[in-house]
Amino acid sequence: KQEVTQIPAALSVPEGENLVLNCSFTDSAIYNLQWFRQDPGKGLTSLLLIQSSQREQTSGRLNASLDKSSGRSTLYIAASQPGDSATYLCAATSGSRLTFGEGTQLTVNP
Amino acid sequence: GAGVSQTPSNKVTEKGKYVELRCDPISGHTALYWYRQSLGQGPEFLIYFQGTGAADDSGLPNDRFFAVRPEGSVSTLKIQRTERGDSAMYLCASSLMGGRETQYFGPGTRLLVL
């Protein structure tokens, strides 16, 4: 059974800092790895999807990497802004489902 | 174009009652998913539809939970004899064909069972 873990559970940084969120998964037989953003009381917004054959994906200030052999993914956020404050979730796709971590709650202070 | 929509956005009910939660996927998406998210946790898979059929319902917690998608578009999640432990955010997602593709999520229905 796939298990996904995210570290840290919470992170508070000053505006402008670069930061890294970590995600690990136990079963490397995944189709892809997705990163989502969730604002309080809201649904999920897809940020990046990395296929199992890829090593990284970039979108604007976001860069996600994937190392299937070690069961790890990272989300790098450059030049953080207060509007980046949210919970970030990673999810591994196996078969028909996403298996999510518990998320990292990010606060970017002005 | 329109994204995934869910109704109602909030539902308050009493223990023992029956509730229905509705999901409208993105037009043309054949795959539809239901997830449940408890406070402070990541979403957990409930059921996956490919077209009209439930291709994987192994995440449904017990036989009080049932979902349908009769015409391959709108889906309804049905919960019988609700319990306080059913209180959670219920999220629906759709993707074009399933499998390796991006799942697009709706805003969720927050269910509170008193």
Side-chain angles (χ1 to χ4, degrees), chain A residues 80-101:
Chain A
S80 58
Q81 302 171 357
D84 294 332
S85 297
T87 295
Y88 291 80
L89 294 153
C90 71
T93 304
S94 307
S96 57
R97 66 181 67 185
L98 293 174
T99 302
F100 286 85

Side-chain angles (χ1 to χ4, degrees), chain B residues 2 5 14 34 45 56 59 63 69 78 92 99 103-104 110:
Chain B
S5 62
E14 294 180 343
W34 284 98
F45 171 82
D56 182 355
D63 61 5
R69 195 185 185 200
K78 307 181 181 194
C92 176
Q103 294 185 23
Y104 297 92
R110 184 169 295 283

Side-chain angles (χ1 to χ4, degrees), chain B residues 13-58:
Chain B
T13 191
E14 294 180 343
K15 179 174 179 289
K17 299 289 188 182
Y18 169 82
V19 296
E20 289 190 350
L21 311 180
R22 176 187 167 108
C23 173
D24 278 272
I26 294 172
S27 179
H29 280 194
T30 63
L32 185 146
Y33 309 80
W34 284 98
Y35 294 83
R36 178 169 70 172
Q37 185 178 26
S38 300
L39 201 60
Q41 304 292 316
E44 293 181 322
F45 171 82
L46 294 176
I47 188 170
Y48 157 57
F49 285 92
Q50 183 57 251
T52 60
D56 182 355
D57 65 357
S58 61

Side-chain angles (χ1 to χ4, degrees), chain A residues 13-18 77-82 108-109:
Chain A
V13 300
E15 182 177 4
E17 274 206 3
N18 303 324
I77 302 177
S80 58
Q81 302 171 357
V108 181
N109 301 300

Side-chain angles (χ1 to χ4, degrees), chain B residues 32-98:
Chain B
L32 185 146
Y33 309 80
W34 284 98
Y35 294 83
R36 178 169 70 172
Q37 185 178 26
S38 300
L39 201 60
Q41 304 292 316
E44 293 181 322
F45 171 82
L46 294 176
I47 188 170
Y48 157 57
F49 285 92
Q50 183 57 251
T52 60
D56 182 355
D57 65 357
S58 61
L60 294 177
N62 52 60
D63 61 5
R64 294 187 298 106
F65 288 74
F66 189 71
V68 296
R69 195 185 185 200
E71 298 179 359
S73 178
V74 170
S75 176
T76 304
L77 179 66
K78 307 181 181 194
I79 310 174
Q80 299 178 321
R81 303 183 304 281
T82 52
E83 299 177 357
R84 292 194 179 89
D86 298 334
S87 297
M89 174 78 90
Y90 289 82
L91 295 163
C92 176
S94 71
S95 69
L96 187 59
M97 295 181 67

Side-chain angles (χ1 to χ4, degrees), chain A residues 1-5 24-33 71 91-95 97-101:
Chain A
K1 178 187 171 187
Q2 179 74 272
E3 293 183 1
V4 178
T5 304
S24 62
F25 47 95
T26 55
D27 185 353
S28 61
I30 62 171
Y31 288 152
N32 56 51
L33 192 292
T93 304
S94 307
R97 66 181 67 185
L98 293 174
T99 302
F100 286 85

